[in-house]
């Protein structure tokens, strides 16, 4: 049982942060090496754009399915068991990615890897939220996300120095190394208190069969939509946007991902500290929404600008979407211990999976509005949905998490 307060610099926080580091390295690796790897598979520039979007959508579908699977298991079997199992699956998946020879194989393995990647963040955030006192959990989860998101920066530097297949092998190896660090981490005391009780645990339908809980759950998901619109559309396809807008210089989407995620890492820590200062999750969230909106406006006004300006815009977009840690923490804080892992694991993966309808909207508008305008219209819709959802969400900064849902 957990009775003694845990420090934000405890082993549990460190291991959750390093786990998320490997998670992000693996999750963003395809976006970073998309062009190099698909060129190596003999695809044309047109195919690289279309098949690249297909593969990233398949990966997101895996995350969507995995989010539900691991969330349920996290509440039924424990937070730590999910962390162990998910990391084994995505580590094996990344090693397999190093051997793919066709687009079909690539997509299939990214799907399985996506299922594995879905368990890391939600289980880690749930564990840290339940181990830390409520006055410190926002800082703890921000440290997890802030440290973890630097995985994208490391992935870019590895891409610059190693063959794309080797980058996948490295990701798999890092995952297995993490298993050794997890040995000394304690299970959540809140989970242990209900582990052998008769209360319903890990019941996904409890999130949707009650009107009040369903409203909270949907709002928790929709709050995060701007994050993957920015990363999955603007940053991942920054090369294509740059060409359409006449950006001067060659755009490297891997470098765009690196700049954005370096800034996201800083933003995640900053939003946690801001939330702590303001004693509010929502106020901090709205400030970072504002920064994201400014970044989107800047991105779509880069006509004829130098490539350095595009990278700078991606950095601002990244810093603005650094509210990722707060949004996942808010999801964990919305629900009782018996379905908390289910909520905290499914919510971020529902957001990642939402890239599929976002990309469908983006591509469907291109015939009438053109490539750049389609991206702009999609961004406006996504931001409005996020803002309205945040307005409808309760403040959870001072909320006691030691309760169950009936």
């Amino acid at each position: 049982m957990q009775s003694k307060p845990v420090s934000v610099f405890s082993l549990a926080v460190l291991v959750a942060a390093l786990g998320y580091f490997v998670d992000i390295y693996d999750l963003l690796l395809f976006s970073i090496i998309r062009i190099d790897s698909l060129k190596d598979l003999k695809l044309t520039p047109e195919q690289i754009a279309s098949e690249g979007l297909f593969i990233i959508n398949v990966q997101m579908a895996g995350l969507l399915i995995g989010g539900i699977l691991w969330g349920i298991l996290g509440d039924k079997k424990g937070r730590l068991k999910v962390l162990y199992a998910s990391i084994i699956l995505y580590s094996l998946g990344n090693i397999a990615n190093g051997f793919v020879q066709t687009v079909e194989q690539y997509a299939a393995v990214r799907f399985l890897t996506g299922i594995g990647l879905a368990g890391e963040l939600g289980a880690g955030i749930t564990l840290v939220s339940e181990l830390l006192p409520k006055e410190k959990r926002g800082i703890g989860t921000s440290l997890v996300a802030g440290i973890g998101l630097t995985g994208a920066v490391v992935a870019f530097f590895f891409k610059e120095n190693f063959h794309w297949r080797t980058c996948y092998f490295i990701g798999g190896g890092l995952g297995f190394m993490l298993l050794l660090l997890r040995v000394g981490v304690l299970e959540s005391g809140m989970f242990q208190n209900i582990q052998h009780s008769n209360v319903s645990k890990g019941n996904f339908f409890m999130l949707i069969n009650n009107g009040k809980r369903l409203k909270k759950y949907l709002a928790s998901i929709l709050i995060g939509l701007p994050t993957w619109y920015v990363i999955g559309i603007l940053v991942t396809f920054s090369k294509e946007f740059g060409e359409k807008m006449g950006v001067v210089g060659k755009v490297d989407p891997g470098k765009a991902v690196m700049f954005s995620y370096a800034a996201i890492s800083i933003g995640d820590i900053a939003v946690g500290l801001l939330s702590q200062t303001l004693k509010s999750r929502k106020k901090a969230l709205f400030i970072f929404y504002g920064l994201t909106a400014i970044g989107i406006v800047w991105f779509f006004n880069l006509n004829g600008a130098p490539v350095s300006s595009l990278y700078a815009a991606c950095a601002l977009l990244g810093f603005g979407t650094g509210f990722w840690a707060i949004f996942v923490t808010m999801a964990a804080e919305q629900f009782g211990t018996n379905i908390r892992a289910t909520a905290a694991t499914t919510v971020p993966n529902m957001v990642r999976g939402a890239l599929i309808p976002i990309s469908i909207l983006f591509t469907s508008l291109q015939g009438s509005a053109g490539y750049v305008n389609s991206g702009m219209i999609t961004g406006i819709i996504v931001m409005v949905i996020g803002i309205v959802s945040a307005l409808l969400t309760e403040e959870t900064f001072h909320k006691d998490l030691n309760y169950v849902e009936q």
Side-chain angles (χ1 to χ4, degrees):
M1 305 295 172
Q2 182 69 34
S3 56
K4 194 167 94 173
V6 175
S7 165
V8 293
F9 302 109
S10 67
L11 180 62
V13 176
L14 174 63
V15 171
L18 292 176
Y20 193 39
F21 173 92
V22 179
D23 177 293
I24 288 297
Y25 173 98
D26 293 338
L27 180 64
L28 272 294
L29 190 56
F30 174 71
S31 293
I32 291 171
I33 62 175
R34 171 178 63 96
I35 293 175
D36 289 347
S37 61
L38 295 180
K39 271 185 181 177
D40 205 26
L41 297 183
K42 312 302 182 187
L43 271 65
T44 66
E46 293 75 20
Q47 289 174 318
I48 288 173
S50 61
E51 298 295 346
L53 186 59
F54 166 69
I55 292 172
I56 199 171
N57 279 340
V58 169
Q59 174 179 293
M60 293 306 168
L63 285 157
L64 191 60
I65 294 170
I68 298 172
L69 171 68
W70 298 121
I72 291 171
L73 290 175
D75 281 322
K76 287 184 177 293
K77 303 297 182 182
R79 287 58 165 136
L80 284 180
K81 289 180 180 177
V82 164
L83 288 172
Y84 282 118
S86 65
I87 202 167
I88 290 172
L89 180 56
Y90 74 65
S91 297
L92 289 172
N94 275 284
I95 291 170
N97 261 131
F99 294 103
V100 299
Q101 300 297 326
T102 67
V103 169
E104 291 74 21
Q105 291 173 1
Y106 210 156
V109 177
R110 288 318 292 169
F111 175 76
L112 292 174
T113 306
I115 292 177
L117 290 169
E120 180 73 40
L121 177 61
I125 291 290
T126 301
L127 181 63
V128 170
S129 295
E130 292 178 343
L131 288 174
L132 292 175
K134 61 185 177 181
E135 296 81 12
K136 296 180 179 178
R137 64 187 180 225
I139 294 177
T141 55
S142 290
L143 284 174
V144 169
I147 294 170
L149 288 163
T150 59
V153 180
V154 173
F156 171 75
F157 284 111
F158 281 165
K159 171 254 185 186
E160 292 290 284
N161 293 283
F162 298 101
H163 191 272
W164 67 271
R165 294 184 188 274
T166 305
C167 292
Y168 277 124
F169 295 145
I170 291 171
L174 288 173
F176 283 116
M177 287 173 62
L178 256 180
L179 292 176
L180 300 175
L181 284 175
R182 295 192 187 281
V183 174
V185 179
L186 297 174
E187 179 58 270
S188 160
M190 292 184 192
F191 171 76
Q192 290 178 320
N193 288 336
I194 69 164
Q195 187 173 9
H196 301 294
S197 70
N198 291 325
V199 66
S200 177
K201 296 181 284 292
N203 184 350
F204 176 75
F205 293 103
M206 286 184 69
L207 293 169
I208 59 177
N209 64 7
N210 173 280
K212 184 178 178 181
R213 282 197 294 263
L214 176 60
K215 177 184 172 183
K216 290 197 296 183
Y217 185 61
L218 290 175
S220 297
I221 294 168
L222 297 175
I223 284 171
L225 292 187
T227 59
W228 271 93
Y229 158 73
V230 165
I231 297 302
I233 301 295
L234 301 188
V235 177
T236 297
F237 296 95
S238 54
K239 180 178 184 293
E240 288 81 359
F241 277 110
E243 290 172 351
K244 299 288 185 182
M245 293 188 292
V247 168
V248 180
K250 183 180 179 182
V251 178
D252 180 352
K255 189 174 288 187
V257 170
M258 185 273 290
F259 278 115
S260 62
Y261 266 81
I264 290 175
S265 178
I266 298 169
D268 261 306
I269 295 174
V271 77
L273 295 173
L274 180 62
S275 172
Q276 195 71 19
T277 301
L278 299 175
K279 306 296 182 189
S280 169
R281 305 278 187 246
K282 290 179 67 172
K283 289 178 182 177
L285 175 67
F286 280 118
I287 290 171
F288 274 68
Y289 267 170
L291 293 173
T292 302
I294 292 170
I296 292 172
V297 172
W298 185 12
F299 186 92
F300 285 110
N301 282 276
L302 289 170
N303 297 290
V307 68
S308 58
S309 294
L310 184 142
Y311 293 142
C314 287
L316 177 58
L317 284 166
F319 186 84
T321 53
F323 65 81
W324 181 256
I326 286 297
F327 127 76
V328 179
T329 302
M330 288 170 67
E333 292 171 338
Q334 295 282 345
F335 302 96
T337 306
N338 54 321
I339 57 171
R340 184 168 298 127
T342 303
T345 306
T346 56
V347 163
N349 289 299
M350 290 288 185
V351 172
R352 290 163 168 171
L355 179 58
I356 299 173
I358 290 172
S359 64
I360 290 173
L361 174 63
F362 170 52
T363 53
S364 65
L365 290 170
Q366 289 175 25
S368 56
Y371 196 89
V372 175
N373 286 336
S374 296
M376 192 186 310
I377 294 168
T378 302
I380 293 170
I381 293 171
V382 165
M383 285 301 302
V384 169
I385 291 173
I387 291 168
V388 171
S389 300
L391 289 170
L392 297 174
T393 300
E394 68 174 297
E395 177 61 65
T396 57
F397 182 85
H398 295 288
K399 192 172 182 179
D400 184 355
L401 301 187
N402 196 13
Y403 71 99
V404 296
E405 301 278 355
Q406 300 296 326

